[in-house]
Amino acid sequence: MSKTWRPATQLVHGGTLRSQYGETSEAIYLTQGFVYDTSEAAEARFKGETDGYIYARYGSPTNDMFEKRMCMLEGAEDARATASGMAAVSAAILCQVKAGDHIVAARALFGSCRWVVETLAPKYGIECTLVDGRDLKNWEEAIRPNTKVFFLESPTNPTLEIVDIAGVAKLANQVGAKVVVDNVFATPLFQKPLELGAHIVVYSATKHIDGQGRCLGGVVLADKAWIDENLHDYFRHTGPAMSPFNAWTLLKGIETLPLRVRQQTQNAAKIADFLAEQNKVAKVIYPGRKDHPQADIIARQMTGGSTLVAFELKGGKDAAFALQNALDIIKISNNLGDSKSLITHPATTTHKNLTEEARAELGISPGTVRLSAGIEDTDDLIEDFAKALAKASA
């Protein structure tokens, strides 16, 4: 496979394996195990003396194709596909820490991600400090002698804050810590955390990579040495492996990733501009707008906006619910990155388990709404919002 291929070509052809039948579409190797010609061959494979597959929990040809294609897109040496995005996050963090270690994480995280570092990790003697990730001083001041991992997402869920990935990576390198970046909101098309200095990138492949509401999946990407030393045994023995069927579904989804994300981003940008002009909307946050509070960092580390828009309605929860209930095309769902436009009220869904004070710290008010723009006609989506805003205030 040519390293000079551009993303759209990589995502159609990268990592493809073909059987003796010469199939056009990738084959699904839906098998639990593999057979060996001889006992000696089995022994050699288990010793690592010969290449080949051993057990589907460790890897399979279909999963291998998905991992290689993601590596080409991300610019990573190696990857492991997981059963879900949260399996990827948990594996990427927990495989490299032990009791007595310390994690510094941005406080603006998806609810389940925050639970892993704030609630689960301390149960095993791993300390965690949450910081306002927008200010590099906060990261620097949180460092301890036992700090091993920095964890962040950028743009953040749901308020689309930006973290200076290169700045955080520089601090981490000074103390020998590893930076894990959840890159879901930027997608691998608009942001390359590894090029910015991050060490590990995680995705919920459920989102844009499938992007069509069909299956769960996740992936961890890093250099081969880190995966061999940290993730390899964790992955083999704890079993977060992706199903080969899901890997095949994601391979089909990833072929159209650039087309879908391009349309979604165009829709998100135009909807953000429309909402910013509405008197019932108190605030709009979108990485592609010049009024984003961190537009300077966005210009340095992102090559596009996002498929997500955050906005706040003046009437609080009642106004948010009324708007969502009045929409026709745009559906209420806690998912994102789908070809269908989806809308979410974070305070009562994805971030409901946070305290009211914690939500306020993150800028999640009762009136905050998160839109995941789909690939529908832009004018239809804007008309849907216009009608819903009118109904909601009637």
Side-chain angles (χ1 to χ4, degrees):
M1 296 297 175
S2 173
K3 292 184 179 179
T4 62
W5 286 351
R6 293 168 180 82
T9 306
Q10 291 174 345
L11 295 181
V12 174
H13 297 286
T16 300
L17 301 173
R18 286 192 171 88
S19 74
Q20 68 272 32
Y21 301 111
E23 61 276 355
T24 301
S25 178
E26 298 82 1
I28 307 174
Y29 292 89
L30 200 59
T31 181
Q32 299 160 324
F34 303 86
V35 299
Y36 314 95
D37 292 337
T38 65
S39 298
E40 289 80 7
E43 181 184 30
R45 195 170 300 179
F46 270 78
K47 282 183 175 180
E49 295 173 352
T50 60
D51 292 334
Y53 301 102
I54 293 174
Y55 192 57
R57 176 157 52 86
Y58 305 166
S60 76
T62 314
N63 292 40
D64 197 34
M65 284 188 278
F66 173 66
E67 291 166 355
K68 282 184 168 58
R69 199 166 291 182
M70 284 300 303
C71 283
M72 291 182 73
L73 177 61
E74 194 67 39
E77 290 182 355
D78 205 358
R80 292 292 183 274
T82 61
S84 69
M86 284 313 306
V89 169
S90 300
I93 294 172
L94 297 178
C95 77
Q96 60 178 321
V97 291
K98 63 184 184 306
D101 287 344
H102 177 237
I103 298 169
V104 182
R107 67 189 186 188
L109 296 170
F110 172 56
S112 294
C113 292
R114 185 158 163 164
W115 183 87
V116 168
V117 296
E118 188 178 28
T119 303
L120 179 62
K123 290 183 178 181
Y124 298 97
I126 302 159
E127 301 172 316
C128 176
T129 301
L130 294 174
V131 300
D132 182 342
R134 294 170 294 182
D135 191 337
L136 288 176
K137 278 187 178 179
N138 297 330
W139 294 93
E140 186 173 14
E141 291 172 358
I143 294 171
R144 302 176 187 174
N146 58 337
T147 299
K148 301 298 182 185
V149 173
F150 288 3
F151 177 50
L152 61 98
E153 57 187 47
S154 183
T156 63
N157 184 359
T159 53
L160 299 166
E161 294 175 1
I162 304 298
V163 178
D164 183 346
I165 297 172
V168 173
K170 183 177 180 180
L171 292 171
N173 288 334
Q174 290 172 1
V175 297
K178 298 296 184 183
V179 177
V180 180
V181 176
D182 182 337
N183 201 41
V184 166
F185 272 38
T187 81
L189 298 173
F190 292 154
Q191 185 168 265
K192 303 287 189 183
L194 297 179
E195 293 180 4
L196 294 167
H199 305 94
I200 301 104
V201 181
V202 295
Y203 288 99
S204 171
T206 311
K207 310 304 189 293
H208 303 92
I209 294 167
D210 173 39
Q212 291 159 85
R214 298 171 298 189
C215 69
L216 299 176
V219 62
V220 183
L221 302 110
D223 65 73
K224 190 175 187 306
W226 181 88
I227 286 183
D228 287 346
E229 182 179 347
N230 297 278
L231 184 59
H232 181 73
D233 285 341
Y234 177 99
F235 187 86
R236 286 169 67 107
H237 300 303
T238 63
M242 177 184 288
S243 157
F245 183 83
N246 285 19
W248 179 84
T249 305
L250 292 166
L251 279 166
K252 294 293 92 186
I254 205 171
E255 290 181 354
T256 60
L257 178 68
L259 302 176
R260 289 183 284 105
V261 168
R262 186 183 306 125
Q263 181 63 33
Q264 288 170 293
T265 303
Q266 290 175 0
N267 282 345
K270 291 180 180 179
I271 291 169
D273 290 343
F274 168 80
L275 291 172
E277 297 173 354
Q278 307 307 304
N279 58 20
K280 300 180 182 69
V281 176
K283 178 172 61 174
V284 173
I285 306 173
Y286 181 67
R289 284 177 59 86
K290 293 180 180 179
D291 59 1
H292 191 288
Q294 296 154 295
D296 57 332
I297 302 176
I298 292 168
R300 293 202 306 269
Q301 71 181 32
M302 295 179 68
T303 58
S306 177
T307 66
L308 284 297
V309 180
F311 60 99
E312 183 179 344
L313 291 161
K314 293 179 180 178
K317 176 183 172 181
D318 289 344
F321 273 31
L323 170 70
Q324 292 189 162
N325 292 341
L327 290 165
D328 181 22
I329 299 169
I330 302 162
K331 306 304 180 187
I332 300 169
S333 175
N334 53 291
N335 197 20
L336 62 92
D338 199 279
S339 57
K340 299 177 178 68
S341 292
L342 305 173
I343 199 161
T344 305
H345 186 250
T348 55
T349 57
T350 57
H351 291 71
K352 77 175 185 62
N353 290 331
L354 298 182
T355 65
E356 188 174 342
E357 292 75 19
R359 287 196 295 270
E361 281 183 349
L362 299 178
I364 303 172
S365 75
T368 298
V369 177
R370 185 192 75 194
L371 169 73
S372 173
I375 63 172
E376 302 95 341
D377 184 275
T378 312
D379 291 338
D380 283 340
L381 294 176
I382 290 174
E383 287 173 11
D384 199 24
F385 265 115
K387 291 175 183 176
L389 284 166
K391 285 182 182 178
S393 60

